[in-house]
Amino acid sequence: MALFSNKHQSNYRASVKMIEAVFQELGIPVKETRIDEDDASAAARETVGWVVMKGSAEVYVFLYQGENDNYIHVYSPVMNLPERNLLQLFRRLLDLNGVGTMGVAFGLKNENVVLSIYRSTTDLDRSEVREMIINVGEHADYYDDILVNEFGGRRYCDVTHQ
C-alpha cells in the first residue's frame, strides 16, 4: 500500500511542478497566480490552485489529490445566466460543445456558464497542460462577448469586478 501512496504523492508533486513550468513558459509569474498562497508547500496540500487572465476571462487551474488518482481541472466562468432565453442558451451551449470547443465543454456552476476540462494526471505531459489552459482561456475570452450579446446576462468579469 505504501508503494501506491508514494507513487500517488510523487505524481502530485510532479504535476504541481509541471503546471508551474507551463505558466513560466507562457510568461505568467507563478507566485502571483497561486490561489491562497501561504508558507505551506503546495505539494503538501490536497488541492492547489492558480488563476490567470486571458483577455476578459479568468482561467482557474486546480490540482486535486484524489483517493486513487490526482486530477487537473481547468475552467473559466464565462457569464452569469441571463433571466430569459435559458432554453435557447442551453441549446446553443450544447451545439457549441459538439462542434467547436477543442475538448473543453460548456457547463453550469452555480449561476454561471463555465468552460471546463478535467482529467487524471496519470500520463499527463506539459503540452497537454499548456493546451488545456490555452483552450479554456481562448474560448472563454472569445465566447463571453458573443453569448452575452446573443442571450443577455453579463460577462463574469463584469460581475466580479464591479
Side-chain angles (χ1 to χ4, degrees):
M1 188 73 133
L3 174 65
F4 293 112
S5 176
N6 291 339
K7 185 177 178 182
H8 183 75
Q9 191 63 245
S10 177
N11 171 271
Y12 186 78
R13 286 190 299 270
S15 296
V16 168
K17 288 179 183 176
M18 184 186 325
I19 292 165
E20 292 185 343
V22 168
F23 284 138
Q24 289 175 337
E25 288 172 10
L26 294 171
I28 299 168
V30 174
K31 201 163 185 77
E32 295 171 20
T33 63
R34 184 77 60 79
I35 298 172
D36 194 29
E37 179 61 38
D38 57 20
D39 294 333
S41 164
R45 295 191 298 263
E46 290 184 16
T47 301
V48 63
W50 302 263
V51 62
V52 296
M53 294 299 295
K54 172 61 178 155
S56 59
E58 291 180 5
V59 179
Y60 294 87
V61 179
F62 285 100
L63 182 63
Y64 302 101
Q65 214 171 7
E67 190 172 316
N68 298 313
D69 206 350
N70 301 310
Y71 300 91
I72 182 172
H73 183 202
V74 181
Y75 79 94
S76 179
V78 176
M79 64 181 283
N80 69 339
L81 286 175
E83 293 183 20
R84 305 174 206 262
N85 303 321
L86 288 177
L87 184 60
Q88 293 88 345
L89 171 63
F90 295 157
R91 176 162 180 105
R92 175 86 155 102
L93 297 177
L94 287 171
D95 286 343
L96 289 170
N97 282 348
V99 294
T101 53
M102 307 270 308
V104 300
F106 282 101
L108 299 178
K109 184 173 181 169
N110 301 319
E111 293 294 313
N112 296 302
V113 172
V114 298
L115 266 167
S116 179
I117 189 167
Y118 186 83
R119 92 178 274 305
S120 162
T121 59
T122 301
D123 298 326
L124 180 69
D125 67 39
R126 260 171 137 105
S127 66
E128 291 173 293
V129 172
R130 182 185 179 97
E131 184 177 321
M132 291 169 77
I133 294 167
I134 289 171
N135 284 345
V136 168
E138 287 181 352
H139 282 84
D141 184 41
Y142 177 77
Y143 282 111
D144 59 0
D145 294 311
I146 290 171
L147 293 171
V148 166
N149 288 335
E150 215 172 303
F151 298 101
R154 292 191 295 171
R155 296 182 312 171
Y156 183 79
C157 68
D158 296 331
V159 173
T160 59
H161 298 137
Q162 290 180 335

